[in-house]
Amino acid sequence: MSKLKIALQKSGRLSEKSISLLGECGIKFPNGGGKLISESSNFPIEILFLRDDDIPQYVEQQVVDIGIVGENVFLESQKNINIIEKLLFSACRLSLAVPKEISYTGPDFFNNKRVATSYPNILKAYFQKNNIHATIEVISGSVEIAPGIGLADGICDIVSSGSTLLSNGLKEVEKILNSQAVMVATQNLDADKQLILDKLLFRIRSVLKAKENKYILLNTPNKQLEKIIRILPGMNSPTILPLAKEGWSSLHSVISEDKFWDIIDELKEAGAEGILVVPIEKMIL
Ligand code: ATP
Ligand code: ZN
């Protein structure tokens, strides 16, 4: 029987979360000991651990069928592969930054300047689109030190909190793109492997959906029930159970993580008590 081959980052910012995502999908595999290939004992999948930058090429060449990389790496690679799912972790952005003492007025600043980056393709496209003529200095790591050592006037690099920029005397001035971990796939998957991938995607979507939602339980006086139901944008109509306490009910529903804090305030104002919010492990829709 055929097996699906997936490439994950060997060690780095995506590794742990990629491995736990497969774990949350119920896929068991030995991991550790610096192994490069691992095979699942309960799902037809083989896992290869690679440098993230190599993953798009391996997928394009069908050494592996799918992989998990940052959108930034996917876009920079310019390979003929597809994003099949956004995975909602490792959110970051690719931005331009300049020394903090510069009085920055707009992208025109970069005209006739030198910009250091590990993302020359994305940056070139950005400069072309904005009609900016700049020199791109390609370096593979520690980009943030380039202005300090006189290699460049600015940089284009991954930012999440901005603390690395700050500690190198830089400030973020333009966001070029938002990124998150994505699953990429070859454009030519045979039917057997497609079936396995469909199974895997079904599990991944259930896990992601569950992470985006919370299960909420609360108690309410019956006279407030209708008002509270209107506040809760549940996936279906909420479950209502009578409490032993006369004139009170317990209400159960699912709410999206995003809306969580706003809704909690509204619920309290409407008279809800004993509010419990619990994580959902899997959500099958
Ligand atoms: P490798 O040795 O595999 O080439 P790397 O050093 O290129 O690793 P990491 O720093 O581990 O890569 O980052 C991997 C990916 O994680 C990045 O391509 C990006 O999508 C994302 N990422 C990078 N920095 C951050 C951050 N500070 N916060 C969140 N996600 C990030
Ligand atoms: Zn890398």
Side-chain angles (χ1 to χ4, degrees), residues 9 11 51-54 73 119 140:
Q9 188 187 24
S11 68
R51 276 201 65 191
D52 67 340
D53 314 68
D54 297 334
V73 166
Y119 297 90
S140 60

Side-chain angles (χ1 to χ4, degrees), residues 176-241:
I176 295 183
L177 61 92
N178 282 315
S179 178
Q180 61 178 293
V182 292
M183 180 166 280
V184 291
T186 162
Q187 295 175 342
N188 320 287
L189 208 58
D190 67 41
D192 279 359
K193 287 187 172 185
Q194 186 64 49
L195 276 178
I196 305 171
L197 179 57
D198 290 345
K199 258 191 186 171
L200 176 65
L201 282 176
F202 175 78
R203 293 190 188 189
I204 287 178
R205 286 169 187 151
S206 304
V207 169
L208 296 180
K209 196 87 204 149
K211 279 191 211 283
E212 286 179 332
N213 289 279
K214 297 278 179 226
Y215 192 77
I216 179 165
L217 305 91
L218 58 85
N219 297 334
T220 167
N222 289 343
K223 61 177 177 4
Q224 291 297 92
L225 250 177
E226 241 176 77
K227 187 167 182 195
I228 286 187
I229 290 169
R230 261 184 276 119
I231 299 170
L232 284 170
M235 64 173 178
N236 277 313
S237 56
T239 306
I240 298 160
L241 304 166

Side-chain angles (χ1 to χ4, degrees), residues 1-114:
M1 206 183 111
S2 65
K3 289 195 175 198
L4 193 69
K5 288 188 183 167
I6 183 170
L8 305 183
Q9 188 187 24
K10 184 168 166 43
S11 68
R13 289 195 157 98
L14 300 172
S15 311
E16 203 178 302
K17 288 192 172 130
S18 305
I19 290 167
S20 22
L21 179 62
L22 293 188
E24 287 166 308
C25 290
I27 297 172
K28 294 193 177 123
F29 57 94
N31 161 45
K35 273 177 69 160
L36 293 183
I37 300 186
S38 183
E39 221 167 288
S40 170
S41 55
N42 65 352
F43 196 84
I45 196 167
E46 213 171 89
I47 301 118
L48 277 80
F49 298 97
L50 304 168
R51 276 201 65 191
D52 67 340
D53 314 68
D54 297 334
I55 292 176
Q57 183 183 342
Y58 278 51
V59 174
E60 187 185 52
Q61 294 175 347
Q62 289 188 266
V63 175
V64 293
D65 305 301
I66 59 174
I68 296 180
V69 290
E71 248 174 311
N72 51 310
V73 166
F74 161 79
L75 286 170
E76 181 60 29
S77 75
Q78 301 186 324
K79 301 292 180 201
N80 288 315
I81 58 177
N82 299 329
I83 291 184
I84 51 169
E85 192 67 40
K86 299 199 171 196
L87 301 175
L88 314 178
F89 62 82
S90 296
C92 56
R93 52 198 188 272
L94 188 68
S95 291
L96 283 162
V98 298
K100 62 176 183 312
E101 58 279 5
I102 294 227
S103 56
Y104 180 83
T105 50
D108 279 349
F109 164 84
F110 292 100
N111 259 317
N112 304 314
K113 296 281 190 339
R114 288 176 308 156

